[in-house]
C-alpha cells in the first residue's frame, strides 16, 4: 500500500454514515499545554472557514461561504451553545467541531450530529483531535441529546479510525455498497471494531489512472 495522506483524494470517495447509540462512557482527554476551548462568537465564521480549508475539508473561501450559509446561515444564534473552537496561546482558532442538531428534521431530537470536525493543518499531530471530539460529545450530552451521528468519508480515513475509537459504528442499512465501503476502511485502519469485514485490496481502494488517479 502506498503512503496515504490523512485526507487523500486518491482514495475512492464514498460517504460513511456512523452512529453512537448512547453518550455514556465518553473518554476524557485533556488539551495540550497552551490550548483552550472557546465557544463560537459572532464574527467567527471566517476563522471556521480558514480552519476547514487548511484541513482540506473545503477548497477555497467561496466554497466555505456557501457551506456556512447552507448549514449555519439561518441558525447562527444557536452556535454560541454548540460550536467549539480550540485556541492557541496567541488567540488563534486552530480547530473546530459542532454539536449540531438536525436542522432538516430527519432525525429525532435525541440525536445530535458531530459536525465539521477539523484541525488546522499546521496544528495536526499535536494531540488536539481527541480532546476536541470528546469535548463535543460531552457538550451533546449536556444539551440533552442521548445519541450521536456523523457523516464522514473514505478519503478521511484517519478521522474514521478516531471515530471508531470513540465508539461510533457503521450505520446499518444506509447504502447498498456499505459492506465494500467498510472493507476499504478495514484495510486502511486495521481497526478491531471492523473484524467482521474482509480487508479490501489496493485496487479496490484507489482510483485508477484511467479514473483520474493523481501521481505522488
Amino acid at each position: 500500500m502506498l503512503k496515504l495522506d490523512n485526507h487523500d483524494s486518491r482514495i475512492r470517495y464514498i460517504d460513511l454514515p456512523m452512529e453512537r447509540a448512547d453518550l455514556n462512557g465518553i473518554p476524557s482527554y485533556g488539551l495540550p499545554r497552551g490550548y483552550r476551548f472557546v465557544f463560537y462568537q459572532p464574527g467567527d465564521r471566517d476563522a471556521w472557514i480558514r480552519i476547514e480549508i487548511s484541513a482540506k475539508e473545503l477548497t477555497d473561501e467561496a466554497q466555505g461561504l456557501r457551506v456556512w450559509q447552507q448549514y449555519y446561515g439561518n441558525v447562527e444564534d444557536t452556535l454560541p451553545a454548540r460550536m467549539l473552537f480550540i485556541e492557541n496561546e496567541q488567540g488563534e482558532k486552530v480547530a473546530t467541531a459542532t454539536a449540531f442538531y438536525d436542522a432538516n428534521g430527519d432525525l429525532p431530537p435525541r440525536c445530535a450530529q458531530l459536525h465539521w470536525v477539523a484541525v488546522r493543518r499546521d496544528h495536526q499531530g499535536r494531540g488536539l483531535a481527541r480532546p476536541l471530539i470528546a469535548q463535543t460529545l460531552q457538550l451533546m450530552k449536556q444539551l440533552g441529546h442521548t445519541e450521536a451521528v456523523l457523516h464522514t468519508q473514505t478519503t478521511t480515513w484517519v478521522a474514521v479510525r478516531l471515530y471508531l475509537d470513540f465508539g461510533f459504528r457503521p450505520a446499518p442499512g444506509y447504502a447498498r455498497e456499505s459492506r465494500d465501503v467498510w472493507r476499504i476502511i478495514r484495510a486502511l485502519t486495521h481497526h478491531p471494531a471492523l473484524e467482521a469485514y474482509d480487508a479490501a485490496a489496493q485496487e479496490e481502494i484507489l482510483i485508477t489512472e484511467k479514473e483520474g488517479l493523481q501521481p505522488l
Side-chain angles (χ1 to χ4, degrees), residues 18-21 23 112 114 133 137 140 147-150 160 162-170 182 191 193:
M18 302 181 74
E19 61 182 30
R20 198 180 197 275
L23 291 173
L114 182 59
I133 294 170
L137 294 177
M140 291 177 182
E147 301 173 20
V149 298
L150 63 85
V160 178
L162 267 179
Y163 300 141
L164 290 166
D165 287 347
F166 272 91
F168 283 89
R169 295 294 181 262
W182 290 105
H191 200 283

Side-chain angles (χ1 to χ4, degrees), residues 173-208:
Y174 176 78
R176 189 169 47 188
E177 69 274 17
S178 61
R179 182 169 183 85
D180 288 338
V181 172
W182 290 105
R183 289 179 60 244
I184 290 174
I185 298 300
R186 169 72 191 282
L188 294 173
T189 67
H190 308 288
H191 200 283
L194 301 178
E195 288 182 351
Y197 298 90
D198 298 327
Q202 179 169 311
E203 57 268 25
E204 300 176 85
I205 297 170
L206 300 177
I207 299 171
T208 65

Side-chain angles (χ1 to χ4, degrees), residues 26-197:
I26 299 167
S28 178
Y29 297 94
L31 280 173
R33 186 174 180 180
Y35 294 95
R36 65 170 186 156
F37 287 110
V38 296
F39 280 98
Y40 167 91
Q41 294 295 321
D44 283 340
R45 179 198 66 186
D46 291 347
W48 183 89
I49 292 173
R50 287 193 295 270
I51 293 168
E52 299 291 345
I53 291 173
S54 176
K56 297 186 178 180
E57 296 292 339
L58 299 171
T59 57
D60 54 34
E61 184 177 355
Q63 185 189 28
L65 291 170
R66 291 194 300 272
V67 169
W68 180 273
Q69 185 60 35
Q70 176 185 351
Y71 290 108
Y72 303 131
N74 295 323
V75 294
E76 289 188 27
D77 59 321
T78 70
L79 298 183
R82 291 184 173 272
M83 181 176 284
L84 285 169
F85 289 95
I86 296 176
E87 281 188 348
N88 63 11
E89 290 180 305
Q90 290 72 45
E92 299 173 314
K93 291 178 171 60
V94 300
T96 185
T98 300
F100 206 42
Y101 57 93
D102 181 27
N104 296 322
D106 296 328
L107 295 172
R110 67 177 181 273
C111 289
Q113 292 179 297
L114 182 59
H115 214 232
W116 285 95
V117 180
V119 178
R120 209 170 75 183
R121 195 79 172 176
D122 56 339
H123 286 261
Q124 292 177 7
R126 302 190 186 186
L128 301 182
R130 289 183 186 275
L132 177 62
I133 294 170
Q135 188 78 1
T136 308
L137 294 177
Q138 290 286 3
L139 178 58
M140 291 177 182
K141 192 172 182 178
Q142 293 167 17
L143 291 167
H145 301 289
T146 59
E147 301 173 20
V149 298
L150 63 85
H151 279 266
T152 185
Q153 52 278 326
T154 46
T155 52
T156 55
W157 60 280
V158 174
V160 178
R161 183 170 60 198
L162 267 179
Y163 300 141
L164 290 166
D165 287 347
F166 272 91
F168 283 89
R169 295 294 181 262
Y174 176 78
R176 189 169 47 188
E177 69 274 17
S178 61
R179 182 169 183 85
D180 288 338
V181 172
W182 290 105
R183 289 179 60 244
I184 290 174
I185 298 300
R186 169 72 191 282
L188 294 173
T189 67
H190 308 288
H191 200 283
L194 301 178
E195 288 182 351
Y197 298 90

